[in-house]
Amino acid sequence: MSTIAPTHMKSGRPPIIPKDFNSQQAETIRLFPLSNYTFGVKETQPEEDPSVLARLKRLEEHYEKFGMRRTCEGILVCHEKNHPHILMLQIANAFFKLPGDYLRPEDDEIGGFKARLDERLAPVGRIGEGEEAGDWEVGDCLAQWWRPNFETFAYPFCPPHVTRPKECKKMYFIHLPKAKVLSVPKNMKLLAVPLFELYDNVARYGPQLSAIPHLLSRYNFEYVNEDGEAVAQTPGAGEDIKMKILAGGDEEMKEGNGTH
């Protein structure tokens, strides 16, 4: 990848360039700007379970019929001011989650995962013209979380005494194209959350989502503008960045109130 001269550095003293430090490096990921994407809303998708206890009861019923539940979620990344942002759903102004869901028992892993992404984010009606069903580029599996029992606790490893975990959740990197139309159910919000907001923020986002910056640290990023021209690379420009509400939440999208 060609070196891009940073435009924000004003020091007259040139930096000392160390020897190459990219051995065994994962592929460099090209990120497109948030402004390249179009966001809309679609019909409400009510939550299946009215409470945590009901959700765990449904997990137990699933396990009795079909065995371990398989869940897939997508880490969708774009950039704003040359800093990675994660597209994330917010439910009831409190609960955050990644797009995706549990697979149906008969589903293949990737095909079923794409179908669940469509349910959450695929556009409908005129806004979706030209979009193909399941048109998602699923990349690396970045994490596996295991639920040993019918309870809320999940771990990034399978405990050694557990031979029959009740659920395995995988998190996949989703390569976003240069432009795409996305629609969120109107009872949810679609947010663009900067990595630094997630990092070490277990209190707000929980252990799984707050670990995403660690999961993405294996990659270098190349940031491109709306015309597809590379304008920066890791590290970013360090400008003032905030979370953005992109769509949904039964609210009108207005300029100047943090929405896009």
Side-chain angles (χ1 to χ4, degrees):
M1 182 179 65
S2 60
T3 301
I4 302 168
T7 59
H8 62 283
M9 297 182 64
K10 299 180 180 180
S11 173
R13 183 178 179 182
I16 299 173
I17 307 299
K19 292 189 69 174
D20 185 74
F21 198 52
N22 291 298
S23 294
Q24 306 300 109
Q25 186 73 38
E27 63 175 318
T28 295
I29 302 295
R30 171 168 277 207
L31 299 183
F32 297 97
L34 187 59
S35 56
N36 271 27
Y37 303 99
T38 302
F39 304 98
V41 294
K42 57 187 178 183
E43 288 302 310
T44 295
Q45 293 181 4
E47 285 291 287
E48 293 184 74
D49 305 301
S51 67
V52 173
L53 288 177
R55 185 167 73 247
L56 295 177
K57 179 63 176 176
R58 186 161 53 85
L59 172 62
E60 187 172 357
E61 293 171 352
H62 182 285
Y63 183 82
E64 290 298 323
K65 292 181 180 179
F66 308 109
M68 184 187 75
R69 186 164 71 181
R70 303 169 299 152
T71 298
C72 295
E73 294 182 343
I75 298 177
L76 286 68
V77 193
C78 57
H79 81 85
E80 175 82 350
K81 298 179 180 177
N82 302 334
H83 183 77
H85 283 57
I86 309 301
L87 299 188
M88 191 174 298
L89 298 168
Q90 187 182 29
I91 302 171
N93 292 320
F95 180 62
F96 299 92
K97 65 182 299 184
L98 295 172
D101 213 328
Y102 64 89
L103 303 184
R104 298 178 180 87
E106 66 274 13
D107 285 346
D108 292 329
E109 183 173 343
I110 300 301
F113 178 30
K114 290 181 177 181
R116 301 320 296 261
L117 286 175
D118 273 349
E119 289 177 12
R120 282 289 189 253
L121 294 179
V124 294
R126 294 184 59 188
I127 196 171
E129 290 179 2
E131 293 286 324
E132 295 182 12
D135 186 21
W136 301 96
E137 184 180 349
V138 179
D140 295 330
C141 177
L142 299 182
Q144 296 182 97
W145 288 83
W146 301 88
R147 193 182 306 276
N149 300 300
F150 302 114
E151 54 190 26
T152 57
F153 296 107
Y155 303 89
F157 53 86
C158 193
H161 64 281
V162 174
T163 58
R164 297 183 180 184
K166 305 308 183 282
E167 181 180 19
C168 179
K169 177 191 289 185
K170 290 187 176 184
M171 293 181 174
Y172 284 94
F173 190 100
I174 304 296
H175 295 268
L176 286 174
K178 182 178 179 180
K180 193 172 182 67
V181 178
L182 301 172
S183 288
V184 63
K186 61 184 179 181
N187 59 314
M188 304 179 187
K189 289 181 182 177
L190 183 62
L191 309 174
V193 184
L195 280 192
F196 67 76
E197 165 74 11
L198 293 172
Y199 177 69
D200 202 26
N201 199 349
V202 177
R204 184 173 192 190
Y205 295 100
Q208 297 180 22
L209 300 181
S210 62
I212 289 176
H214 296 278
L215 303 178
L216 295 180
S217 67
R218 62 181 298 207
Y219 299 110
N220 286 328
F221 294 109
E222 181 181 62
Y223 308 98
V224 302
N225 60 20
E226 294 179 350
D227 298 320
E229 302 167 334
V231 293
Q233 62 188 37
T234 304
E239 300 182 43
D240 183 36
I241 302 166
K242 298 179 181 178
M243 180 195 297
K244 286 192 172 185
I245 301 173
L246 306 174
D250 289 322
E251 298 174 1
E252 292 295 327
M253 291 182 289
K254 300 177 182 179
E255 293 294 331
N257 68 346
T259 61
H260 178 79

